[in-house]
Amino acid sequence: MAAMYKKTAIALIASVAFSLSCAETSELVLKFVKGNISEKTSAIRSAEGSEKTLLAEMGLDFLDANASILTGDMDLSALGIASVLSLEKSPGKNGVIIEKLISVFRKCTDTNVRTIILDKLPDFASDESEMALVRELSVGFLESEGEKPAILVKNSFEALGKIGNQDSLALLFKNYVSGPQPLYDSEMGKSLVALMNKYKEETLNLVSSLEISKISRIFELVKNSSEITKNYQMDIVENALSLTLYTMENQQDFSEESVRLQMSLVEFIADEKWSHATELVARNFTLSKKEYDGGFISDDDFIKTIRFTAVLKSSKISSALSDCLAGFNGAVGSDARPSEQVVLALIKSLGDLGDKTAFDNLLYVTYLDYSEDVVNAARVALASLKW
């Protein structure tokens, strides 16, 4: 213990000697050196200009030297907060300040002091080596064992959002898709969006590697973010839909959760009239027809899917809808007679699309045992086709 006090005294004397030489023994420097902890805090708060930064660093050095001795001391906590808040960036010194702040963070158990440090650290990181130090501290804290104050978790996520790299993106992505975390979701989401914008290709790769059960979290984040450009937003949604369809086609996963996600993704694409996704939406319709035939989605849901699909006007879309109508036409008069509401939705969509490839199947409707409403709708659709 005596050795510790000796080391502390030597460090403080060295700091004081430097301070005296730089500040010509100003009143505030003397007040800091001679005063108790509260008076040291008062000196820092009263300082201005370069003297303010000098005293802030002296306060930080004092805190670093005594944090383990005065654990839980309110006066030392106040000194720490005043010191950190008074620090200002200085070319050539930021690295030293970062190392001091990190040292205090690791030694000090006071949540208020640690919160302020995490909030300030990214501002001092001006190059990659300095950013790496801050990332290491933030990630180390997040991955440490034991219960952690929520505010420190939030600030760690925020720090990564400001100076994170690809590894930080992967860490935030993994945490976010693991499930709702009400205490941290807002900060984590904002930081994740910041890194997604910075590392677009890496983000698309992460989306493409997700399990289908975790796609909804990312989709909701992307859908509701005003910080993501429309084109990039749609790229992410396309990747999410492609992965969803691939999983459902190969695993025959027609759970309610998967089907709802599938419909939500297609609805979003339709709302944005994103023609780039036309082939993907046509593929989705083919899968939706299988789900409908298997009883996994209702008439109403299939009608919505028809409408979402028809928003993207193309011969590929028209062909997919026309093939579906052909299948229904073939079932007229059988036990599997199609729902006329679904058939009406198909006919109206084909009329809106106006693609002449639907001619034969629409004409066939008028010769079958459909209701008058369906037959009349087919005639209207036929008149709408473009030749």
Side-chain angles (χ1 to χ4, degrees):
M1 181 63 73
M4 180 186 294
Y5 278 111
K6 183 177 180 181
K7 184 178 179 181
T8 301
I10 292 172
L12 185 57
I13 290 170
S15 176
V16 170
F18 175 77
S19 304
L20 291 174
S21 65
C22 295
E24 299 181 355
T25 322
S26 73
E27 282 188 30
L28 287 177
V29 171
L30 286 174
K31 180 178 180 180
F32 182 95
V33 173
K34 297 171 66 176
N36 58 32
I37 295 177
S38 295
E39 290 170 330
K40 293 181 191 302
T41 302
S42 176
I44 293 172
R45 294 177 64 181
S46 300
E48 296 179 354
S50 60
E51 192 173 51
K52 180 179 181 180
T53 301
L54 173 64
L55 286 172
E57 289 190 54
M58 289 173 64
L60 207 59
D61 289 336
F62 185 86
L63 190 70
D64 183 64
N66 296 285
S68 58
I69 302 171
L70 300 174
T71 298
D73 185 88
M74 290 182 62
D75 289 335
L76 196 66
S77 174
L79 174 64
I81 293 171
S83 298
V84 176
L85 290 178
S86 297
L87 288 169
E88 293 182 358
K89 289 188 287 186
S90 175
K93 292 190 66 177
N94 290 338
V96 173
I97 291 174
I98 285 173
E99 289 178 356
K100 288 182 180 182
L101 287 170
I102 289 175
S103 178
V104 172
F105 182 90
R106 287 176 171 154
K107 292 177 183 178
C108 181
T109 60
D110 186 88
T111 298
N112 292 329
V113 175
R114 301 181 97 198
T115 299
I116 297 298
I117 288 175
L118 272 178
D119 186 57
K120 274 280 192 179
L121 269 171
D123 296 337
F124 286 90
S126 55
D127 61 35
E128 178 53 33
S129 63
E130 293 167 359
M131 291 180 188
L133 290 173
V134 180
R135 287 196 295 267
E136 180 184 2
L137 179 71
S138 301
V139 172
F141 176 76
L142 289 170
E143 294 181 341
S144 63
E145 298 293 331
E147 188 174 348
K148 296 180 274 290
I151 185 63
L152 291 181
V153 175
K154 291 178 181 179
N155 278 24
S156 296
F157 284 134
E158 288 179 344
L160 290 177
K162 294 174 182 176
I163 46 83
N165 58 6
Q166 295 97 320
D167 291 336
S168 309
L169 168 68
L171 174 67
L172 282 167
F173 198 92
K174 179 182 177 182
N175 273 275
Y176 194 82
V177 301
S178 66
Q181 300 176 59
L183 290 177
Y184 318 126
D185 269 355
S186 178
E187 288 76 13
M188 203 189 326
K190 289 176 184 176
S191 294
L192 180 54
V193 166
L195 293 181
M196 287 168 71
N197 280 329
K198 188 175 180 181
Y199 301 106
K200 295 182 178 180
E201 197 63 39
E202 290 83 356
T203 296
L204 294 176
N205 289 336
L206 285 169
V207 171
S208 297
S209 66
L210 278 175
E211 298 173 16
I212 192 170
S213 61
K214 296 180 178 179
I215 295 176
S216 291
R217 286 272 291 165
I218 287 297
F219 172 54
E220 290 299 320
L221 177 67
V222 170
K223 181 178 73 172
N224 295 316
S225 175
S226 60
E227 301 300 316
I228 299 177
T229 63
K230 185 57 63 180
N231 285 1
Y232 182 36
Q233 189 179 53
M234 299 313 299
D235 284 343
I236 295 172
V237 173
E238 277 191 69
N239 273 36
L241 179 58
S242 179
L243 175 63
T244 300
L245 295 180
Y246 176 82
T247 304
M248 296 175 76
E249 288 164 346
N250 287 274
Q251 298 180 8
Q252 298 297 295
D253 175 15
F254 299 147
S255 65
E256 183 177 353
E257 180 184 13
S258 297
V259 171
R260 290 297 153 205
L261 170 62
Q262 176 192 2
M263 288 191 65
S264 295
L265 291 167
V266 174
E267 180 179 11
F268 188 74
I269 290 171
D271 286 345
E272 298 298 330
K273 296 180 173 58
W274 190 247
S275 59
H276 187 271
T278 296
E279 289 196 17
L280 199 57
V281 171
R283 177 180 157 200
N284 173 80
F285 182 76
T286 300
L287 179 62
S288 296
K289 176 62 165 56
K290 291 181 181 178
E291 294 164 4
Y292 178 64
D293 291 341
F296 295 102
I297 60 176
S298 65
D299 287 357
D300 287 344
D301 283 340
F302 192 50
I303 288 170
K304 288 178 183 177
T305 300
I306 292 168
R307 290 172 180 162
F308 298 154
T309 304
V311 167
L312 304 184
K313 300 180 183 297
S314 77
S315 58
K316 196 172 213 43
I317 294 293
S318 182
S319 178
L321 297 184
S322 184
D323 288 346
C324 181
L325 179 59
F328 286 149
N329 286 345
V332 174
S334 71
D335 292 338
R337 184 180 180 87
S339 160
E340 293 208 345
Q341 292 305 310
V342 171
V343 174
L344 280 168
L346 272 173
I347 291 171
K348 184 180 186 309
S349 293
L350 286 168
D352 291 341
L353 288 166
D355 195 302
K356 62 183 180 181
T357 56
F359 176 80
D360 289 342
N361 291 318
L362 286 172
L363 181 62
Y364 195 32
V365 168
T366 65
Y367 292 98
L368 293 173
D369 185 24
Y370 281 115
S371 71
E372 188 176 345
D373 285 344
V374 172
V375 172
N376 286 336
R379 288 173 178 149
V380 171
L382 281 166
S384 302
L385 299 183
K386 299 176 180 66
W387 294 88

